[in-house]
Amino acid sequence: MNNDNITNVYAVVKSCISGLAIGDALGVPYEFMPRYLAENADLTHMTENGFYHQQPAGAWSDDTAMTLAVMDSIIQTGYIDAEAMMSAFQDWYINARYTSTGITFGVGRTINFALKKHRYGNPALSCGPSGFRDNGNGALMRFSPIALYCCYNKLLRVEEICLVNNACQITHAHEISQLGCLIYTDYLKSIVSGSSKTQAYEAICSTDYSSYYSKRAVRAYKRVLNGELAALPMHSLNESSYIVDTLEAALWATLKETSYENAVKEAIHLGYDTDTVAAVTGSICGILYGAESIPEEWQNELLNRDYLEDLCRAFSSVIISPHPKSPMFTQRKKAFGEHIG
């Protein structure tokens, strides 16, 4: 691949990951704040401390830290590997690697359970809990590197779904979580390929997900996939960390607003899981509008920005390199198997 293409890939990766991290850091002070308070938040600058967390201004949370852990596992191995990802997550959880402050915070119940199970010696692919109540947004929030990998590698649809399912499964093994990660991946693939936000939304709405997931799982995303998400009033969006609600909110803010800044602000004004909804929204809108569209004040206030951009550069080089006959392809088959689910 020539240098121009490498530069273009880096621009997309940087826009996506910077957009995610800045949305995350901007939302951290408002996490768990009810909507009636959050909708009046002044988001001109990043702020310190906050409603629940006591962190410096510009600190990112577990959303960005786990995203960077996924990226680094791919950089180190050259491919997507379940054990490598879980090892990187352990390094974050135990040693505060991939954080912006040297402190690990914001670890969710489901992720804590999966990491603990892995430390007890269980294989990564058997660690994610699979109950209906285990469908938090902890897989979705860290999924952009997997989606970007799928953007730049020509995979058969069955391979892609297998890869998405199992990359999700290491922390969240229920099919509702897996389907949510696939819908997000499909949306990112569309906008990276040049589709508008509306065209990308129409594409996921016209995709038949029932070929690979149960009717119950597909029905959970009815409001996402019925083509009318953008018309929903704010008060109808749920304040929760349920993956369906998070994906609804992020796509709603993306479709409703016409800039990175306004979409991320709207995501935070929804309240409650503000860092994650803003992170997912930011990852999408970073690609749509480019890193240069992110307010300069927010970019300058983000902690550890140089480290994040260095990882983006290294990650960009890795995801454009593999091909079907490489060791990566063999390892992917070995790690994730041939089945769906």
Side-chain angles (χ1 to χ4, degrees), residues 123-244:
L125 285 172
S126 68
C127 289
S130 59
F132 176 77
R133 295 184 65 83
D134 300 314
N135 282 307
N137 53 26
L140 180 65
M141 72 185 192
R142 58 157 172 93
F143 219 76
S144 52
I146 306 297
L148 289 168
Y149 179 94
C150 292
C151 290
Y152 294 105
N153 287 270
K154 295 181 179 179
L155 305 175
L156 298 174
R157 184 60 167 172
V158 68
E159 293 177 334
E160 184 175 66
I161 293 172
C162 181
L163 187 65
V164 167
N165 282 357
N166 288 286
C168 173
Q169 182 174 312
I170 62 176
T171 58
H172 294 71
H174 195 280
E175 66 170 341
I176 286 177
S177 289
Q178 293 172 327
L179 175 54
C181 288
L182 182 63
I183 294 170
Y184 170 81
T185 297
D186 286 346
Y187 193 84
L188 251 65
K189 283 175 58 186
S190 289
I191 60 176
V192 168
S193 69
S195 297
S196 70
K197 63 182 183 181
T198 303
Q199 290 169 333
Y201 179 59
E202 290 170 350
I204 62 171
C205 290
S206 63
T207 299
D208 181 13
Y209 293 105
S210 63
S211 297
Y212 301 99
Y213 300 92
S214 71
K215 291 181 179 178
R216 181 191 185 194
V218 176
R219 190 163 54 245
Y221 291 94
K222 179 180 179 180
R223 296 207 307 181
V224 171
L225 299 173
N226 67 6
E228 300 176 1
L229 181 60
L232 291 177
M234 175 189 279
H235 67 77
S236 72
L237 298 172
N238 297 319
E239 300 177 59
S240 84
S241 58
Y242 179 35
I243 186 174
V244 176

Side-chain angles (χ1 to χ4, degrees), residues 62 66 86 89-90 92-94 104-120 122 127-129 134 136 138-139 141-142 170-172:
D62 54 329
M66 294 190 77
M86 283 296 270
F89 294 161
Q90 298 287 8
W92 157 69
Y93 183 81
I94 297 168
T104 300
F105 71 95
V107 185
R109 174 189 63 82
T110 306
I111 288 173
N112 185 58
F113 178 91
L115 293 177
K116 187 175 183 179
K117 192 172 179 181
H118 188 249
R119 288 196 297 277
Y120 285 161
N122 293 280
C127 289
D134 300 314
M141 72 185 192
R142 58 157 172 93
I170 62 176
T171 58
H172 294 71

Side-chain angles (χ1 to χ4, degrees), residues 248-267:
E248 275 188 6
L251 289 174
W252 177 84
T254 297
L255 293 166
K256 181 176 181 290
E257 300 297 339
T258 57
S259 70
Y260 173 92
E261 178 180 358
N262 288 340
V264 167
K265 284 181 175 180
E266 193 75 333

